[in-house]
Amino acid sequence: LMVVDVQGLLGKKVQFLSLPWRSISGFSVETAGAYFDRDTDMKVYTNVMGYGMLRQDFRNSKADLFGIQKYLANKILEGHDDDTSIVPGVDRKQGHVDPKTSWWFRDNQRPLDAVEMDKYYHESIPILQHKEKVEFAFKGRRDITLFTTKRLIDIDPQGMHGVKIEYTSVPWKSIVGFGVKTAGKHFDSDCEAILWTDMMTSTDSDGNPVPAMSYLEVDFNKNLIDILAIQKYLSVKLLGETKYIP
């Protein structure tokens, strides 16, 4: 990936920044919003010090955003579009009906039918590679999280109408550590999966480190998700264990 940065009032100073694809640890694309928001957006997250995130805006009518997403996926995901196998024993919740749950607890993610989500994100909104499969699917209040054979995908509708949607991809190869946390008693309604990546941290105005994409957390509804099954799944994906025992 090459970034040409024209600087200064006269544009005489030009920086040519080159980042090999292996240094890019995640990426996202964002659709245009409603009314006067006409720009789409691309972000890439790197493991290069000082360049944790690079962003490029596009005119909505001038760029094929999902074509860009597909191109990035082919470049950054290992094996491009090679055959991938679903982890044996994973319950994809085929035929599962979304329970929706109480409004107060909808920020905590609940299970969705992964087979249905696989079909939807191959055909209606084509963000998945041809042979990539959704193994787990979850939904919070509006956001959706997909665990696929190649990556974790966060789908984040934004704004009052949810028209502006960011699709963030984190390849499994970029995740360097993980943990799960069970729920407590009484008023603690969520359990958690915690993921650390090799993406660079950013800094705030005082120079203090901000985790940004180096630390990810997914909150689940404790009554609908078996967090220890998630822990076992992550062990298979990230540690190379050969068996999945939910």
Side-chain angles (χ1 to χ4, degrees), residues 6-13:
V6 180
Q7 304 173 0
L9 191 61
L10 300 177
K12 296 294 185 180
K13 184 175 183 177

Side-chain angles (χ1 to χ4, degrees), residues 119-135:
K119 179 180 176 64
Y120 183 78
Y121 287 107
H122 270 110
E123 298 178 1
S124 300
I125 301 179
I127 61 173
L128 299 176
Q129 291 184 303
H130 179 60
K131 295 180 180 179
E132 184 178 10
K133 299 295 183 184
V134 177
E135 296 180 298

Side-chain angles (χ1 to χ4, degrees), residues 64-85:
D64 178 0
L65 190 67
F66 290 107
I68 292 169
Q69 197 278 156
K70 182 178 180 180
Y71 178 81
L72 291 172
N74 288 339
K75 286 292 186 181
I76 296 167
L77 299 179
E78 281 188 339
H80 296 270
D81 200 21
D82 56 354
D83 191 15
T84 52
S85 299

